[in-house]
Amino acid sequence: MSFAEKIRMLRAERNMTQPVVAAEMGLSMRGYQNLELGTEPRYSSLLRVADYYNVSVDWLMGRTEKREINR
């Protein structure tokens, strides 16, 4: 599953719209849409997405199957 597919799935799990998620993350609407369309995330955007959805960066980027953050 790609990064874009994962964040679409996470947003759907919360039953939220793109404009709401973008605003809560502090991203532009277009910026968030681009992430869901497959644009490679910048480091700062990647961290915002991981923090917002409370998942690991490694999971988002396909490096592990574990969603949980290692703390």
Side-chain angles (χ1 to χ4, degrees):
M1 186 180 298
S2 71
F3 173 81
E5 291 168 326
K6 287 178 180 176
I7 64 170
R8 280 193 303 268
M9 177 188 71
L10 290 166
R11 183 174 57 79
E13 286 175 1
R14 292 185 178 198
N15 198 30
M16 298 180 79
T17 64
Q18 286 180 340
V20 170
V21 171
E24 289 184 1
M25 280 190 200
L27 298 173
S28 69
M29 173 60 188
R30 190 73 192 143
Y32 186 80
Q33 284 176 328
N34 285 339
L35 292 175
E36 285 199 6
L37 290 172
T39 300
E40 189 75 24
R42 288 191 218 157
Y43 181 71
S44 60
S45 297
L46 178 61
L47 293 179
R48 285 182 190 186
V49 170
D51 288 345
Y52 182 79
Y53 289 119
N54 198 33
V55 297
S56 76
V57 170
D58 283 340
W59 179 76
L60 282 171
M61 298 308 291
R63 294 174 41 117
T64 184
E65 294 299 314
K66 289 177 37 178
R67 274 190 186 193
E68 298 82 27
I69 299 170
N70 295 329
R71 293 185 189 218

